[in-house]
Amino acid sequence: MADAIGLLVECRDEPGVLHRITEVILRHNANIGYVAGGGRGGPVAEIQLEVSGAFDQSLLTSELEAVPGVITVTAVPTFQAIYGKRVIVIGGGAQVGMVAQGAISEADRHNIRGERISVDTIPLVGEEQLADAVRAVARLHRARALVLAGAIMGGDISNAVREIREAGILVLCTNMAGSVPDAADVVVSDPVEAGVMAVMLIADTAKFSIEHVRGRRF
């Protein structure tokens, strides 16, 4: 969200603190778009909140600092402002590396012009592990595109691909055996080009729409 603000809350790691924090945000008619954090192995925890709609950021911060259990509240950039949209690359190690090479090179070109696109990778094998990882992409904060890179993928992985496409994630894959190419938005034979295309499809600084290539193989 364009008007979201980031707040890093340092607090005691004890029951009820998060509830009291969210009560204050509610009183400001603000909405929490993202929350993350946890214990640091001691009595203190950190929580990062991304909040929109607060009518007075300074007042919100001071009221949060007054919450029992809260130690400090610091304004920080949102993850969208720092890391931006995310391209996720999953599959066999060698091909994942080649996709990442293309994605990182293309993201660098757009980020120089003011975009924010980051690339995350994980090499995995096995139908169950891959299907779980694919489904998790739809739950990842700021994830916009997934590239599946490998020699053969199908079965429940294809079901997972269809599910996350319904959730709004663009799915590209390398040309491979199995049913995943039939389930993906786009099939790209060259893994480096697959990474480049994934970034181009989500970049606001690129005039390239999924509607131009959906269902095609390159």
Side-chain angles (χ1 to χ4, degrees):
M1 288 168 283
D3 62 342
I5 59 173
L7 297 171
L8 183 64
V9 181
E10 187 179 28
C11 58
R12 293 199 300 267
D13 189 2
E14 62 186 28
V17 175
L18 182 58
H19 174 72
R20 293 192 290 270
I21 289 169
T22 56
E23 278 188 328
V24 172
I25 294 169
L26 176 61
R27 288 204 303 271
H28 281 255
N29 295 315
N31 184 61
I32 301 171
Y34 176 74
V35 58
R40 300 187 301 192
V44 176
E46 283 186 345
I47 304 169
Q48 174 149 348
L49 301 159
E50 296 186 3
V51 178
S52 61
F55 54 82
D56 188 328
Q57 181 180 342
S58 298
L59 181 60
L60 173 61
T61 299
S62 63
E63 289 189 10
L64 287 172
E65 288 177 330
V67 169
V70 170
I71 301 167
T72 60
V73 180
T74 306
V76 295
T78 65
F79 285 124
Q80 178 68 36
I82 299 298
Y83 292 108
K85 307 161 193 163
R86 298 168 73 181
V87 175
I88 313 298
V89 188
I90 301 173
Q95 291 202 56
V96 163
M98 294 178 71
V99 172
Q101 178 183 339
I104 292 167
S105 296
E106 184 68 11
D108 183 60
R109 191 169 71 89
H110 292 282
N111 289 348
I112 286 172
R113 294 187 286 167
E115 267 278 8
R116 281 294 183 270
I117 297 172
S118 52
V119 182
D120 299 272
T121 65
I122 180 169
L124 283 176
V125 295
E127 180 181 344
E128 182 179 354
Q129 291 86 348
L130 283 164
D132 286 346
V134 169
R135 289 189 172 96
V137 173
R139 305 193 299 272
L140 286 174
H141 187 45
R142 309 178 332 278
R144 294 285 299 275
L146 166 67
V147 185
L148 287 168
I152 178 170
M153 294 184 194
D156 196 36
I157 305 169
S158 300
N159 297 331
V161 166
R162 294 185 180 95
E163 290 169 19
I164 70 166
R165 286 182 61 194
E166 287 292 322
I169 304 294
L170 297 178
V171 181
L172 298 84
C173 73
T174 55
N175 198 13
M176 64 177 78
S179 56
V180 159
D182 295 327
D185 286 295
V186 187
V187 181
V188 186
S189 298
D190 181 352
V192 175
E193 184 184 349
V196 171
M197 190 174 292
V199 170
M200 290 178 65
L201 284 169
I202 66 172
D204 292 332
T205 45
K207 296 181 180 179
F208 187 42
S209 168
I210 185 62
E211 302 309 323
H212 298 153
V213 294
R214 179 171 278 133
R216 297 183 61 182
R217 299 188 180 217
F218 295 91

